[in-house]
Amino acid sequence: MALFSPLTPVFIAIICVLIAIVLKKTNGEKEKHETKSKPLSRPWVDEDLKDGTDHHLDEEEIDEEWQGLDENVAHIPFFAERYSEAEMIKRSQMFYELLNKRRSVRFLSDEPVPREVIDNVIRTAGTSPSGAHTEPWTFVVVQDPYLKHKIREIVEEEEEINYKKRMGDRWVNDLKRLRTNWIKEYLDTAPYLILIFKQVYGRLPNGKKKTHYYNEISVSIACGILLAALQNAGLYTVTSTPLNCGPQLRALLQRPANEKLLLLLPVGYPKKDATVPALTRKPLEDIMVVM
């Protein structure tokens, strides 16, 4: 009997095809698994801006029994001012109209601003709720011209790299329509720069680390209250998240390693010839769902 029949090449071809299909499927599943397990590379993500709520403390540095608060915090009577429905509607409408005038202003005057106003708006931001009342925020107020210019140099150097290399064409094009770039003149001209740092952990009197629960969202809420307080005082700013500048600015301002830069606000009056983009806000029906 012949070792090979006329159909043998057909059988061999079929087997090869089946092997190829199996190998392709196996490799595809392997690549899919690796893609899921390996996060996408995002070079523009700033380490300081990552959520710090899951910051893991070394076990030997944690004091499990004491976090700096009394075991039983005394409770006191709470007296709230109650408004009539008409007054509530009036006050809520007036506050909305005030905040609706808030705009991000990049053209700030060097006209002096009373220091007491800055103290008051930061006191107001400090009323923000925080996880377990840890108050994980530090507001650094810079008014020294030399420090402001050093901050500008650091920010512009990194921002130019961000625009040209890190952010990508889509992000840069989205910003281009707002006529913004890496030049930050307002960092020199604004009478005050407020840098908001989140404390990813604290320090107890005994030197051990103190857990700061929900530090990211706590400081973010405080920033929102600060923006409202500035608007209420007649001051303007532009929210700035200087990507990849945190470590340098932290060193410049001599802040400890547990503080991460979250936001930079230049604060002052608008220049007389200041302009803002002609933008509109979403209507209520687009941002609220009533169940």
Side-chain angles (χ1 to χ4, degrees), residues 29-215:
E29 290 178 352
K30 183 179 179 182
E31 290 176 0
K32 186 177 181 181
H33 175 73
E34 290 177 350
T35 301
K36 284 184 176 181
S37 59
K38 185 179 180 181
L40 294 174
S41 175
R42 293 182 176 179
W44 52 265
V45 171
D46 189 334
E47 290 294 326
D48 278 9
L49 295 180
K50 288 183 177 178
D51 195 328
T53 56
D54 59 351
H55 182 82
H56 299 293
L57 305 182
D58 297 331
E59 290 186 6
E60 65 273 12
E61 293 187 315
I62 300 176
D63 193 327
E64 295 288 354
E65 297 181 355
W66 184 64
Q67 282 282 295
L69 295 175
D70 295 335
E71 185 174 349
N72 292 305
V73 178
H75 279 222
I76 58 176
F78 177 68
F79 299 99
E81 189 170 357
R82 184 73 178 262
Y83 304 109
S84 67
E85 289 190 7
E87 182 67 12
M88 289 172 64
I89 293 171
K90 178 183 176 181
R91 290 172 66 91
S92 63
Q93 178 65 27
M94 290 177 61
F95 193 67
Y96 160 68
E97 290 173 358
L98 172 67
L99 269 293
N100 194 39
K101 295 176 183 176
R102 189 207 58 78
R103 296 301 306 270
S104 295
V105 178
R106 293 174 173 84
F107 305 100
L108 295 172
S109 166
D110 60 0
E111 183 180 351
V113 170
R115 170 61 188 280
E116 187 176 358
V117 176
I118 302 300
D119 293 349
N120 285 336
V121 296
I122 291 181
R123 282 194 185 97
T124 304
T127 67
S128 175
S130 61
H133 194 60
T134 51
E135 302 175 292
W137 41 67
T138 301
F139 301 90
V140 178
V141 177
V142 178
Q143 56 184 352
D144 178 73
Y146 171 79
L147 275 180
K148 288 195 295 180
H149 189 68
K150 292 297 294 183
I151 290 171
R152 179 181 178 180
E153 289 181 338
I154 292 171
V155 170
E156 288 187 344
E157 181 179 1
E158 287 296 331
E159 281 285 81
E160 184 174 5
I161 299 173
N162 291 333
Y163 271 80
K164 292 182 177 180
K165 295 182 179 180
R166 296 186 181 119
M167 290 161 53
D169 293 340
R170 180 181 299 176
W171 191 348
V172 172
N173 287 332
D174 284 345
L175 290 173
K176 188 180 295 183
R177 68 190 184 92
L178 301 178
R179 301 180 190 175
T180 180
N181 54 37
W182 62 84
I183 306 299
K184 313 294 182 185
E185 180 185 356
Y186 50 73
L187 295 177
D188 268 326
T189 58
Y192 294 100
L193 303 182
I194 302 177
L195 293 90
I196 301 99
F197 290 84
K198 62 179 180 181
Q199 301 169 6
V200 293
Y201 59 87
R203 286 288 183 187
L204 297 169
N206 62 7
K208 291 189 176 183
K209 291 182 179 179
K210 174 184 177 181
T211 303
H212 278 176
Y213 311 98
Y214 301 108
N215 56 78

Side-chain angles (χ1 to χ4, degrees), residues 102 117-118 121-122 194 223-237 265-268:
R102 189 207 58 78
V117 176
I118 302 300
V121 296
I122 291 181
I194 302 177
C223 289
I225 293 177
L226 177 57
L227 291 174
L230 288 169
Q231 180 71 16
N232 181 62
L235 295 176
Y236 289 83
T237 185
L265 300 178
V267 174

Side-chain angles (χ1 to χ4, degrees), residues 18-19 39 42 111 150 207 229 244 249 272 280:
L18 291 174
I19 292 174
R42 293 182 176 179
E111 183 180 351
K150 292 297 294 183
N244 302 291
L249 294 179
K272 292 182 179 179
T280 57

